[in-house]
Amino acid sequence: MGRLFGTDGVRGLANRDLTAPLAMDLSVAAARVLGEAGAFEGHRPVAVVGRDPRASGEFLEAAVVAGLASAGVEVLRLGVLPTPAVAYLTHALDADLGVMLSASHNPAPDNGIKFFDRSGFKLPDEIEDRIEGALGQDWEAPTGSLVGRVRDAHGAVEQYVAHLLSTVPVSLHGLRVVVDCANGASSDVAPEALRRAGADVIAIGAAPDGLNINSGCGSTHLEALQKAVREHGADVGIANDGDADRCLAVTADGEPVDGDQIMAILAMDLLESGRLTGETVVATVMSNLGFKIAMRGAGIEVVETAVGDRYVLEAMKEGGFVFGGEQSGHVIMLDHATTGDGVLTGLHLIAAMARSGRPLDELAKVMTRLPQVLVNVKGVDKSRAGSSPELAKAVAEAEAELGGNGRVLIRPSGTEPMVRVMVEAASEEQASATADRLAEVVRTVLA
């Protein structure tokens, strides 16, 4: 059996892979492990629990709350809120543990559980491994007055929105924004924050019914946002994913602006204002080569990590850096948040437009994207992706063909059962041909 925790918590098909009993057991194990580690020393532990609007989140929330309370933890239910809101409120409400139920950008049938420590940071791998190891172990459950109590946390949305607004340096007055909330956790928060920051806001994908999250909308499906931006004559479009830890954007002409471009814009903005610690940005191996070239030209160092915002965050904390993120739109602004925050990112991207007086398409020209093709190969043994000599040989040959004008990256997905083949090249045609050839090698040797 592989490791239960992936790069972003425990995730799977709700009621099949991620069941109510597993959710309860994970919560009990988390409470026990953190208690044994001294996280609750000298006081009654408190946990906050939030979720995105998936239908399965209702029964999984009940299971998590039951597990925590049965382990003697006081529980504050936050209701439907973005993942970064749960991270922020864990610290702001002086809780010992935060729990978020979401499968982020995945379709509605999936769900997931992620844990935050009392500072609002995701738990380290070592603690997750100990939680996994504690599953199913015998324990002495508290009784009587020692069991945890459960109550709703009132005013959580307002507290989080007020925090977001406190970080925005300029008014967004005069800018028309379309925000696509992916029928997810930001459906109330994102439009409210943007309006109160001064923008003229049109919200789409903001009517969650528990089943329509990420369905033809949000950061994984920009078509609806592109159409709405053009129809409404908006200055910019902002797209979140289901739990709003991602942000992608669309220009007034409907052209996509990805996470690398957003990072480049915000990094330059931070550099100009003297707030880019160490003149360094942390990014993953998936960031476009054009991003790295642009940062180098601006005198900004790029520290590279494995894919996953947790690894970006680890490098930021280790180096004392304040800014980093992923091409997918996870952007971490450590001065304001402990994890990727799509609503926060969108606010600051539009603030950069307002402060500069320049449209988004001009700001995005700070970098030139090299053509990049990503092929997801399903139905293969992803555990052998890093050890196959045949695959290594094919990659070496492809990189030799590309020379210094491109690169190849093959990696197993951390959240889904597939191997990702990414190729950057001088032309779209060369990138596509190379990626398709390597994908066929992956299918053959990892079958």
Side-chain angles (χ1 to χ4, degrees):
M1 179 180 175
R3 187 174 186 265
L4 185 62
F5 284 88
T7 57
D8 202 19
V10 177
R11 192 177 294 185
L13 181 61
N15 221 25
R16 190 75 56 79
D17 303 316
L18 181 56
T19 63
L22 176 58
M24 182 180 292
D25 289 348
L26 278 167
S27 301
V28 169
R32 291 177 56 213
V33 166
L34 290 171
E36 291 167 1
F40 308 150
E41 192 170 351
H43 66 280
R44 185 70 171 264
V46 176
V48 296
V49 179
R51 63 182 179 89
D52 72 21
R54 293 166 206 265
S56 61
E58 297 170 3
F59 76 77
L60 289 172
E61 176 193 55
V64 166
V65 169
L68 291 170
S70 75
V73 179
E74 302 286 311
V75 181
L76 293 172
R77 284 185 301 217
L78 301 176
V80 174
L81 273 177
T83 290
V86 175
Y88 168 74
L89 290 166
T90 301
H91 177 67
L93 295 176
D94 199 26
D96 300 284
L97 176 67
V99 187
M100 179 66 185
L101 293 155
S102 175
S104 189
H105 60 285
N106 284 20
D110 292 345
N111 217 320
I113 301 177
K114 62 187 80 175
F115 296 100
F116 297 97
D117 67 19
R118 63 178 298 109
S119 297
F121 292 107
K122 292 177 183 177
L123 297 182
D125 290 347
E126 181 261 333
I127 296 295
E128 289 182 343
D129 288 341
R130 289 174 60 186
I131 292 171
E132 189 170 335
L135 290 174
Q137 290 183 355
D138 291 335
W139 66 296
E140 186 174 346
T143 60
S145 62
L146 297 181
V147 301
R149 305 297 295 271
V150 182
R151 65 185 192 275
D152 293 323
H154 300 292
V157 171
E158 171 58 32
Q159 187 169 354
Y160 174 59
V161 170
H163 162 67
L164 292 174
L165 293 172
S166 72
T167 73
V168 182
V170 295
S171 171
L172 308 186
H173 179 74
L175 290 170
R176 174 169 287 189
V177 180
V178 178
V179 58
D180 186 342
C181 305
N183 289 314
S186 71
S187 294
D188 292 330
V189 168
E192 176 70 10
L194 287 164
R195 288 191 184 104
R196 285 171 57 179
D200 175 17
V201 180
I202 298 100
I204 65 172
D209 62 9
L211 302 174
N212 60 359
I213 188 170
N214 298 316
S215 179
C217 57
S219 63
T220 52
H221 301 279
L222 291 178
E223 300 83 9
L225 179 61
Q226 291 170 303
K227 180 181 178 182
V229 166
R230 295 188 190 105
E231 287 180 348
H232 291 281
D235 298 290
V236 60
I238 296 295
N240 296 142
D241 63 336
D243 70 336
D245 63 355
R246 295 187 184 195
C247 171
L248 296 182
V250 166
T251 69
D253 293 329
E255 291 300 313
V257 176
D258 69 11
D260 284 338
Q261 293 167 297
I262 291 171
M263 283 198 296
I265 292 167
L266 294 181
M268 295 294 289
D269 193 57
L270 288 168
L271 181 68
E272 290 172 7
S273 62
R275 293 177 291 138
L276 188 63
T277 304
E279 298 183 348
T280 298
V281 171
V282 180
T284 77
V285 293
M286 285 296 288
S287 275
N288 192 276
L289 187 57
F291 170 76
K292 298 168 188 175
I293 293 171
M295 294 297 95
R296 186 164 60 241
I300 297 173
E301 182 180 351
V302 178
V303 172
E304 199 169 78
T305 75
V307 174
D309 63 333
R310 68 183 301 136
Y311 304 118
V312 173
L313 181 59
E314 285 174 7
M316 291 172 66
K317 291 168 70 176
E318 287 173 7
F321 308 126
V322 298
F323 189 71
E326 297 186 278
Q327 185 186 73
S328 60
H330 284 117
V331 177
I332 303 174
M333 307 181 74
L334 204 50
D335 282 343
H336 309 303
T338 56
T339 188
D341 190 326
V343 182
L344 178 74
T345 301
L347 285 166
H348 281 260
L349 180 65
I350 302 168
M353 294 171 59
R355 184 164 46 236
S356 68
R358 297 165 62 195
L360 182 58
D361 60 345
E362 280 190 23
L363 292 177
K365 290 177 182 176
V366 69
M367 67 165 278
T368 300
R369 297 185 74 256
L370 268 67
Q372 185 182 81
V373 173
L374 178 65
V375 178
N376 294 321
V377 185
K378 301 179 180 180
V380 295
D381 182 2
K382 70 177 185 178
S383 66
R384 295 192 291 119
S387 60
S388 166
E390 298 96 329
L391 185 54
K393 179 182 177 183
V395 170
E397 291 173 350
E399 289 179 331
E401 291 176 11
L402 295 172
N405 297 317
R407 65 185 182 119
V408 173
L409 179 65
I410 295 182
R411 67 176 188 89
S413 170
T415 57
E416 299 175 77
M418 64 178 67
V419 171
R420 304 191 193 278
V421 178
M422 189 275 285
V423 176
E424 288 174 345
S427 70
E428 189 81 29
E429 294 76 14
Q430 186 182 26
S432 293
T434 305
D436 289 341
R437 187 171 74 248
L438 288 172
E440 188 56 37
V441 175
V442 170
R443 291 187 188 96
T444 301
V445 304
L446 301 184

